[in-house]
Amino acid sequence: MEKLEKKIPRNLNECFNIDDIEKLAITKLSKHSLAYYYGGSGDEITLRRNRNIFNKIKLYPKVLVNVSETDTSIIIQNRKLAMPIFFAPAAMHRLACPSGEKDSAKAAFEMNTLYCLSTHSSCTPSEVAAANKNGLRWYQLYLNKNRDISKKVILKLEELGYSAIVLTVDAPVAGYRERDHRARIGEEELSDSASIIANFGFFKNIQDSSFEWEIIDWLKSITKLEIYIKGIHRVDDALIAREKGVKGIFVGNHGGRQLDTVPSALEMLIPIAKACKDFKDFDIFLDGGIRRGVDVFKALAFGAKAVFIGRPLLWGLACGGEQGVKRVFEILMSEFITCMKLCGVNKLEEINESYIFKEKLPKF
Amino acid sequence: MEKLEKKIPRNLNECFNIDDIEKLAITKLSKHSLAYYYGGSGDEITLRRNRNIFNKIKLYPKVLVNVSETDTSIIIQNRKLAMPIFFAPAAMHRLACPSGEKDSAKAAFEMNTLYCLSTHSSCTPSEVAAANKNGLRWYQLYLNKNRDISKKVILKLEELGYSAIVLTVDAPVAGYRERDHRARIGEEELSDSASIIANFGFFKNIQDSSFEWEIIDWLKSITKLEIYIKGIHRVDDALIAREKGVKGIFVGNHGGRQLDTVPSALEMLIPIAKACKDFKDFDIFLDGGIRRGVDVFKALAFGAKAVFIGRPLLWGLACGGEQGVKRVFEILMSEFITCMKLCGVNKLEEINESYIFKEKLPKF
Amino acid sequence: MEKLEKKIPRNLNECFNIDDIEKLAITKLSKHSLAYYYGGSGDEITLRRNRNIFNKIKLYPKVLVNVSETDTSIIIQNRKLAMPIFFAPAAMHRLACPSGEKDSAKAAFEMNTLYCLSTHSSCTPSEVAAANKNGLRWYQLYLNKNRDISKKVILKLEELGYSAIVLTVDAPVAGYRERDHRARIGEEELSDSASIIANFGFFKNIQDSSFEWEIIDWLKSITKLEIYIKGIHRVDDALIAREKGVKGIFVGNHGGRQLDTVPSALEMLIPIAKACKDFKDFDIFLDGGIRRGVDVFKALAFGAKAVFIGRPLLWGLACGGEQGVKRVFEILMSEFITCMKLCGVNKLEEINESYIFKEKLPKF
Amino acid sequence: MEKLEKKIPRNLNECFNIDDIEKLAITKLSKHSLAYYYGGSGDEITLRRNRNIFNKIKLYPKVLVNVSETDTSIIIQNRKLAMPIFFAPAAMHRLACPSGEKDSAKAAFEMNTLYCLSTHSSCTPSEVAAANKNGLRWYQLYLNKNRDISKKVILKLEELGYSAIVLTVDAPVAGYRERDHRARIGEEELSDSASIIANFGFFKNIQDSSFEWEIIDWLKSITKLEIYIKGIHRVDDALIAREKGVKGIFVGNHGGRQLDTVPSALEMLIPIAKACKDFKDFDIFLDGGIRRGVDVFKALAFGAKAVFIGRPLLWGLACGGEQGVKRVFEILMSEFITCMKLCGVNKLEEINESYIFKEKLPKF
């Protein structure tokens, strides 16, 4: 049945979906960079679960609806963006291509979508701001043991036009990602990319593992930027976050990179979105596992306002820098529009759980 | 354990079931034609689900019933047909064999079963009518943006003796079938079959994505032909269809070729048939996933009046033109009769859910 | 991990369980004989299900019970047999070894267990009676269209000391076993074993597919032998059988050889045994899927009086004639005793559902 | 995708988790020793289930908890141990390395954890006591048919400073572990390790299969050492054990080595821990399937006081003697601490079922 097998693509033109781009990226990245981006913690059960859960959820399309006018735009912080598909923070884009975050931020701007920069970026916030022009951009913050350093960073971000702080809370210590260690087996000296990753590990040591919910009060006391929390897993924590007055939460598990065997991002989203469905002005984003336009639709159906994409954009970056990132956004956007039309939906607001198949079937 | 492995059949005589015929067809078809027929959209999850669901459903046979006289005949539009297994519309049969729809329509006539021609056929409705003689034949309609063109087609069909219009409603836009694109990788010029498929893509652009339920009123105003709707997924849409006065519906998902991750045809059939079980004179057909006689029995047990078969007949056509198509019907018919007898059933009307195993078991 | 792989055994001494014996038998049998014994109907889903269901059921052993005296004996027709593991009827043992049923019947006698001869045996009932000496033996009957022939057979059986008639009711027509046909691909002339199997097919044509429950009355009118029905799938049919006054039923699906996708024998047994649990003097046997001593225990726990074994004994016969059959009985018996002891059970009567794990667990 | 594959480690430095150490150990052990340690009974269904169940359970981490001070210490018999991860009794450590139990007991002492010696050890209790210094050590007892022998052993153990007797109750007869037999295929003479294993089999014949619950009274009459029961599977047996006044139970299935197809250790633990949750001073240990720090956390969340580890420590012993054993403890301890921190937990007492994801999801 060789006639039916997929080949590994040789270039972006031979990539028709995100999996193709991943396969191409694997051929492009150095051993260390690949291990760093690709890997999850432990046995990567959560990493796979993030992805597989989407395939189990069944859409339930309505027919004979006029779908000639489909609109994927979304308003965030009074800005109209092209789609509910945003750039998740991820460390060290330079492992993927020489211009790193400058390329990815430029692509996000050109696609008119939100860009979220990582504390562990390999370009400076200023460089990124310049590349992203007047795009909407947020900053993901790992809190420093020295609060003054974090404060200075935040004030600088305000100056540079970043419009929100995304505080990561699921990494008081680093998850153990075995691929990083495996990639170094048998090496005497660190290669360039290995050395970047190793230094990054060192950098983590200054991260704080002691802060609690009061940190939100402190953040609000030093900045007017909107505050999001990234890494909420539980319904009760989501309710506390709301209570504490943050603008919203990222529901996710750090891309399966922190604690293995936690639920998939979508499994966590479902009860959280249900518990929060009457809150106005509290945004719930899904962060993890999206590889298809139908996945975006499902996340929104279960109550996410929008989704953040991580690895797929890094694969795009590795395959073709700015152009590769744009290609990933284009594929997801195009698939998402097709999904909306085939479900009989024209606007994001119309997407809800009635488009998920839940009819009772006999037990087979 | 090589001794126990199946070999790929070398000809129709070595084919004992539909899977064999599929395997043989794979060896016969051009790369482009195979990709076109074989493929589903996205990750082909729905395509596989259409098929796999049948294997999970357990029959519950009664014994010590006289099954010496088994009758598979069915009345459709006052015509007595040989079996509840009909020819589903599918585009461009010429990709499978030179005479295309002429061969397949002749085979359907000789097997005394219903033939449904596609808007995207590669022979004209007149040629097909001639080959199908006084067979019962329907026409699957994609609505043209220019209603006059559709109207002309319908009037012509009346003249040619087609007896129903099957309006496809699950394709306001085309699903993205990646195999078609992959099959063209690295080609400078389109081969014959690739060129047919590509032109077909062009043709789709004149299809309408704006019509809604009112279209049924319009169709009824221009023709007395009976109207069926093809591509119903939801219970509520089935009820509207009935309300709108159509003669019946095809429950299916376009063979897994439109929106990936929708439920299998059978999963959608079960709640729809239940909701419609008291309606007289409203036909529910299952369209998708049938590969065995037991599958036909299961579809009827859950409330389908009959089933439509797509890919298996195209595989037959590819393997042996008219003879290949007949072979597929013969295999399915023979398996279906065996299933009826071994379940203790002699007539289609006797087939119902009491022949599905639903006894409560402890949770294992 | 080659160090951990199982090798295919080269002789009976290298066989430690039934799977080993199956693997060895595969190397011994002719292509046609193997296809005939091994195969099920259709996609062999029921064939695999018969087996796999046992692995899903969890035992629930009691500890600190004195198990120094374990007794596996069972009384059938006032005869004390060594174990509740009987020889199921199966056609044409000569495909497995030259002495055919003479060898298998002798082994059953020597193991002091019940032997059930098939209508389609390759030795005569007289030969078998001689080999089986004063063993307990039954006769599986396919009813002939010509009732007089069946009657003569039955009277002869009485004379020969057979003590029960086992009427097969799940084969009004033959299931379609594709392996038989596949095994003949490319052959001009039939080999010896192929020819036996083909003639056997012919023989089937004289089998009756019209008889109903009244046949039991007829059987009772011509013989005093006890009557069992083989091939009951449903609870309602089990209740009718009891009503009709037969001595018991074989719950099974003809070894997955008749209608594919029916439930496993054990899944059918569970509700039937439950519905019949208050009937005295009505025997329920499980027929299908047993490969381990724990399977025997599970069948008895769910209400079977004893189990019938088919293919494993044929594998034994193929591996070593009478000795091979005895080896299969010895393995199953030894495993069954170990299971009883480790569950804390000393007699068959103590085996019940309390030894099946049914504790409620959170949904994982 | 070779770039993403794991290699088999060549030494302990290339081992990043327990699976790595297992892989390395496979390369180190003799065929017979590997078969002995690795194998389970029957089809090894329970063996695999012991492990796989853990991967299905989803953690549910709390965030924004100060986890800068995490304490894994546990008090057992008034001794403060470093972690709730103990050394399970296992036969014949000398199959893994020349110093056998002397090495493993020394490692346990140095890691400050509990060591449980097997009746079938390959070093004497005195040698082990010397190596284990003032470590906390228990003794697993197989009862001898000759009670006097058992009594003498117990008195000697008291003298040597062992502080508890762990009576094994799930082995009145030995499970049938086919790998042991398979490993000997084709050998004329027994190798050293094969000979040890075979003699061990002989030794088993003096084990008693007749004792019942009264044995506890006898044990209490001859020793003041605390008594634990190892091999409890059922809720009712757990309640009897408590009634009989033992100090606690090991819930497990002998590492999948006795009766195949019993539930995993964790599945048995859940209902037992629930039934016993109000008992003070009655310890429930989980014995079987732990390979990751998250597994330890899950066992404790469902009510285990601590866990016993078997095979992983033997793999460590095979890879590097005392150092290998310590490496296994270090990996598990480090993973467990990370799990506690990432769940937002600082002390063992805080670990409970609220950290297991049980939110209701729609049925997919």
Side-chain angles (χ1 to χ4, degrees), chain A residues 50-208:
Chain A
N50 271 351
R51 174 78 212 100
N52 295 339
I53 186 71
F54 281 104
N55 292 341
K56 293 183 188 162
I57 292 169
K58 296 167 192 161
L59 292 170
Y60 202 31
K62 271 194 90 56
V63 293
L64 288 168
V65 174
N66 178 345
V67 289
S68 52
E69 314 273 335
T70 305
D71 179 6
T72 63
S73 69
I74 183 171
I75 308 286
I76 298 285
Q77 297 185 318
N78 296 317
R79 290 280 294 269
K80 186 172 184 173
L81 303 174
M83 56 183 136
I85 307 172
F86 303 155
F87 207 125
M92 300 179 291
H93 292 192
R94 275 193 169 142
L95 293 176
C97 83
S99 323
E101 285 81 1
K102 284 184 284 185
D103 264 21
S104 56
K106 183 142 181 280
F109 166 71
E110 300 216 343
M111 296 302 296
N112 187 25
T113 191
L114 192 158
Y115 186 79
C116 188
L117 184 67
S118 165
T119 292
H120 299 308
S121 64
S122 46
C123 298
T124 66
S126 313
E127 288 172 316
V128 170
N132 187 246
K133 293 173 188 168
N134 65 332
L136 185 65
R137 62 186 168 275
W138 294 357
Y139 186 86
Q140 175 268 346
L141 183 76
Y142 282 112
L143 210 66
N144 199 297
K145 284 182 182 165
N146 182 339
R147 292 283 186 279
D148 284 344
I149 294 177
S150 291
K151 184 173 175 183
K152 266 185 214 158
V153 168
I154 291 169
L155 299 182
K156 178 71 179 172
L157 293 167
E158 288 184 357
E159 223 173 83
L160 290 166
Y162 289 77
S163 58
I165 296 296
V166 177
L167 178 72
T168 289
V169 297
D170 59 2
V173 293
Y176 192 71
R177 296 161 208 160
E178 298 164 12
R179 285 184 192 274
D180 288 348
H181 299 270
R182 248 178 260 290
R184 276 176 225 145
I185 285 177
E187 292 187 356
E188 292 299 317
E189 295 187 27
L190 291 180
S191 67
D192 277 5
S193 54
S195 150
I196 294 173
I197 299 167
N199 284 331
F200 166 60
F202 169 75
F203 180 47
K204 275 212 158 163
N205 293 332
I206 56 172
Q207 197 181 312
D208 192 347

Side-chain angles (χ1 to χ4, degrees), chain B residues 97-155:
Chain B
C97 84
S99 322
E101 286 82 0
K102 284 185 284 186
D103 264 22
S104 55
K106 183 138 181 282
F109 166 72
E110 300 216 342
M111 297 302 296
N112 187 24
T113 190
L114 192 159
Y115 185 80
C116 188
L117 185 67
S118 164
T119 293
H120 299 309
S121 65
S122 47
C123 299
T124 66
S126 314
E127 289 172 316
V128 170
N132 187 244
K133 292 175 189 164
N134 66 332
L136 186 64
R137 60 186 169 277
W138 294 358
Y139 186 86
Q140 173 269 346
L141 184 75
Y142 282 112
L143 209 66
N144 198 299
K145 284 181 182 164
N146 182 339
R147 292 285 186 279
D148 285 343
I149 294 176
S150 291
K151 184 173 177 183
K152 265 185 214 158
V153 168
I154 292 170
L155 298 182

Side-chain angles (χ1 to χ4, degrees), chain C residues 97-140:
Chain C
C97 83
S99 323
E101 285 81 2
K102 284 185 285 187
D103 264 22
S104 54
K106 182 140 182 281
F109 166 73
E110 301 217 340
M111 296 301 297
N112 186 24
T113 191
L114 193 159
Y115 186 80
C116 188
L117 185 66
S118 165
T119 293
H120 299 310
S121 64
S122 47
C123 299
T124 66
S126 314
E127 290 173 315
V128 169
N132 188 246
K133 294 175 187 164
N134 66 333
L136 184 65
R137 60 184 168 277
W138 294 358
Y139 186 86
Q140 173 269 346

Side-chain angles (χ1 to χ4, degrees), chain D residues 161-356:
Chain D
Y162 289 77
S163 58
I165 297 297
V166 177
L167 179 72
T168 291
V169 298
D170 59 2
V173 292
Y176 192 71
R177 297 162 208 159
E178 299 165 12
R179 284 184 193 273
D180 287 348
H181 299 270
R182 245 178 263 290
R184 276 176 226 145
I185 285 178
E187 292 187 356
E188 293 300 315
E189 295 186 27
L190 290 180
S191 67
D192 277 5
S193 55
S195 150
I196 295 173
I197 298 167
N199 284 333
F200 167 60
F202 169 76
F203 180 48
K204 276 215 157 162
N205 293 332
I206 58 172
Q207 196 181 312
D208 193 346
S209 69
S210 71
F211 61 94
E212 303 202 319
W213 284 99
E214 291 66 34
I215 199 67
I216 305 298
D217 304 321
W218 176 78
L219 279 172
K220 287 163 90 173
S221 75
I222 62 160
T223 181
K224 291 292 170 224
L225 292 184
E226 279 182 323
I227 298 163
Y228 289 87
I229 300 182
K230 178 170 179 287
I232 294 288
H233 294 64
R234 299 170 61 109
V235 171
D236 50 7
D237 279 348
L239 296 176
I240 301 173
R242 155 79 181 172
E243 199 71 24
K244 274 288 175 189
V246 303
K247 184 71 181 75
I249 55 177
F250 288 49
V251 177
N253 45 41
H254 216 111
R257 297 164 76 82
Q258 283 294 99
L259 184 58
D260 197 27
T261 75
V262 304
S264 64
L266 188 70
E267 285 167 301
M268 301 190 298
L269 173 80
I270 292 171
I272 288 175
K274 200 172 169 187
C276 297
K277 72 174 182 301
D278 294 332
F279 298 157
K280 286 186 174 52
D281 232 23
F282 182 67
D283 298 336
I284 298 170
F285 299 115
L286 179 113
D287 174 28
I290 300 282
R291 294 295 178 275
R292 286 280 188 188
V294 289
D295 303 341
V296 179
F297 188 96
K298 289 169 186 179
L300 269 58
F302 281 115
K305 186 176 185 76
V307 303
F308 279 83
I309 310 289
R311 289 184 185 84
L313 294 163
L314 301 174
W315 306 142
L317 199 61
C319 292
E322 181 194 335
Q323 292 312 312
V325 172
K326 283 162 78 173
R327 184 86 192 96
V328 170
F329 276 119
E330 282 160 5
I331 289 175
L332 288 174
M333 173 99 163
S334 157
E335 288 183 352
F336 179 55
I337 292 173
T338 299
C339 177
M340 285 178 72
K341 285 183 189 284
L342 292 179
C343 278
V345 158
N346 282 309
K347 289 183 200 150
L348 301 193
E349 297 73 39
E350 293 168 22
I351 301 175
N352 61 42
E353 279 196 53
S354 73
Y355 296 95
I356 304 295

Side-chain angles (χ1 to χ4, degrees), chain C residues 157-218:
Chain C
L157 293 168
E158 289 183 357
E159 223 173 84
L160 291 166
Y162 289 77
S163 60
I165 296 297
V166 177
L167 179 72
T168 290
V169 298
D170 61 0
V173 293
Y176 191 72
R177 297 162 208 160
E178 298 165 12
R179 285 184 193 274
D180 288 348
H181 299 271
R182 248 177 260 289
R184 275 177 227 144
I185 285 177
E187 293 188 355
E188 293 298 317
E189 294 187 28
L190 292 180
S191 68
D192 277 4
S193 55
S195 150
I196 294 173
I197 297 167
N199 284 332
F200 167 60
F202 169 76
F203 180 48
K204 276 218 156 158
N205 293 332
I206 58 172
Q207 196 181 312
D208 193 347
S209 70
S210 72
F211 62 92
E212 304 203 317
W213 284 100
E214 291 67 32
I215 199 67
I216 305 298
D217 305 321
W218 177 77

